[in-house]
Amino acid sequence: MTRLGLKYKECLHCGQKIEIKIRRDLIRKKFCCRSCAGKYHSEKKSIFDWNNKEASEKLKKALRKPHRITKALLKAAKERGLKKRGKKINSDLIVCQHCGKEFFISHCRNNGKISKWGQKQISQYCSNKCRQLASRKPDKLKIDKTRLKEWRLKIFERDSYICQKCGCKRKRLLQAHHKKSKERYPEIAYDIDNGETLCIYCHMKEHPKLKNFILSSLKLKLEQPYASEIPGMCP
C-alpha cells in the first residue's frame, strides 16, 4: 500500500502495519517493536535436548576447546582460580622485606629469570606500596635542599665564580663539587672546606660515571658541546 509516497509492511508476529520512510527498512524492518521481536524469536528457537548423549557430548567438546593462548597463560589462570578458592598449589611462600607479611606467589611469576637490566625477577614485596616505601631513603640520608643551595652560593663567592682547575668564568657552567662524597661522609656535606667550584666539564672528569646526570642539570647534551674556541672555556 502507498500513502503520500510512504510504504507499509506487516509485523511478522502481531500483523500490525509498520510505516516505512527509508528504503533500507523494506528489508531490515520486520517487527513493530522489540517485544514482538523477542516473542517471535523465543517461539522459533529450538530447545536443545540434553538427554541426547551424542548431541550433548559434541557441544561439550566444542565448548572445551582452548583459545589461541599459550600454555603458560592457561597455567597462570588455573593457579589464580585455585588461589581464590583457598588452595595453594604450585606456589611459594615468601616474606615481604618491608612489612614482614607472608604471602603466596605462583612459580610462573616467581621464575628467577634475568631481566635486561641484569636483575633476577623474584618478587620480594607483598604490594606496590611496600615496594615504594622500601625504595625511599631514610631520613638520615636525605639532603636538605635549602642548606645545599646556601652551601653552593658560599663556595661560588669564596672562589669568586672561577673554576679551580681550568679557570672558566661562565656562571652558567659552574657547579659546586664535593671533595668527599656526601653519601659516605654526611657530617661534612655542608662544610665549605669540603667543596670547590668546578665547571661542568671538569666536574664530569671527577665523576665519569655520572656524565648524563651532570649534563641534565643544565639541560645540555654531549652531542652539542660548547665551542672550545671561546677564551676561558674548558676543552
Side-chain angles (χ1 to χ4, degrees):
M1 294 177 70
T2 59
R3 179 193 168 193
L4 300 174
L6 302 174
K7 296 185 178 181
Y8 294 94
K9 203 175 179 181
E10 290 185 356
C11 178
L12 292 176
H13 180 69
C14 62
Q16 189 178 352
K17 290 181 181 180
I18 308 163
E19 191 176 353
I20 295 169
K21 297 180 181 180
I22 306 169
R23 188 179 291 175
R24 66 183 180 186
D25 288 346
L26 286 167
I27 301 166
R28 293 185 181 182
K29 211 162 190 179
K30 297 177 182 179
F31 305 99
C32 60
C33 58
R34 289 184 180 180
S35 61
C36 285
K39 289 173 185 177
Y40 178 82
H41 289 302
S42 63
E43 289 173 2
K44 292 285 182 181
K45 193 184 286 183
S46 59
I47 300 166
F48 186 78
D49 187 13
W50 287 99
N51 294 324
N52 190 355
K53 291 184 180 180
E54 293 180 359
S56 61
E57 284 178 4
K58 283 182 182 179
L59 185 63
K60 285 176 183 177
K61 284 179 182 179
L63 292 170
R64 284 175 189 170
K65 284 181 181 178
H67 298 286
R68 292 179 180 178
I69 53 177
T70 59
K71 292 180 180 179
L73 288 172
L74 286 168
K75 189 179 177 182
K78 185 181 178 182
E79 289 175 1
R80 224 178 290 123
L82 292 169
K83 277 184 194 176
K84 286 180 182 177
R85 295 172 197 167
K87 296 179 182 179
K88 308 294 186 297
I89 297 171
N90 295 330
S91 58
D92 300 328
L93 180 66
I94 297 170
V95 180
C96 181
Q97 292 187 1
H98 180 68
C99 63
K101 182 183 175 183
E102 293 183 352
F103 64 99
F104 286 93
I105 192 162
S106 58
H107 290 311
C108 62
R109 292 186 68 188
N110 195 22
N111 48 21
K113 289 181 181 178
I114 297 169
S115 63
K116 59 182 179 181
W117 294 285
Q119 296 176 352
K120 285 189 176 182
Q121 296 176 349
I122 299 171
S123 56
Q124 299 173 352
Y125 306 101
C126 61
S127 62
N128 288 328
K129 190 177 180 180
C130 284
R131 189 182 289 108
Q132 290 172 3
L133 291 168
S135 63
R136 290 179 184 175
K137 290 183 179 179
D139 294 334
K140 293 180 181 178
L141 297 175
K142 284 181 181 178
I143 298 162
D144 190 359
K145 291 183 179 180
T146 54
R147 287 182 69 188
L148 197 68
K149 282 181 181 179
E150 291 173 0
W151 172 82
R152 180 171 168 270
L153 290 169
K154 284 177 183 177
I155 289 167
F156 286 164
E157 288 173 1
R158 185 195 65 187
D159 297 335
S160 62
Y161 292 91
I162 297 170
C163 178
Q164 298 300 302
K165 291 197 173 180
C166 68
C168 178
K169 295 180 181 179
R170 294 193 68 179
K171 290 184 180 180
R172 190 191 170 207
L173 301 178
L174 295 178
Q175 291 181 342
H177 167 64
H178 283 88
K179 293 177 183 178
K180 292 183 178 180
S181 64
K182 55 194 173 187
E183 294 177 356
R184 292 183 181 178
Y185 304 96
E187 299 172 357
I188 322 170
Y190 307 107
D191 190 3
I192 299 169
D193 297 331
N194 188 32
E196 62 178 344
T197 306
L198 295 177
C199 71
I200 192 169
Y201 296 104
C202 293
H203 202 192
M204 281 193 294
K205 289 175 185 177
E206 295 291 331
H207 306 285
K209 294 181 180 179
L210 302 173
K211 283 183 179 180
N212 293 324
F213 176 73
I214 293 165
L215 288 167
S216 65
S217 62
L218 296 180
K219 298 181 181 179
L220 298 175
K221 294 181 181 178
L222 283 170
E223 297 173 359
Q224 300 174 355
Y226 280 82
S228 60
E229 298 175 359
I230 301 169
M233 277 294 296
C234 178

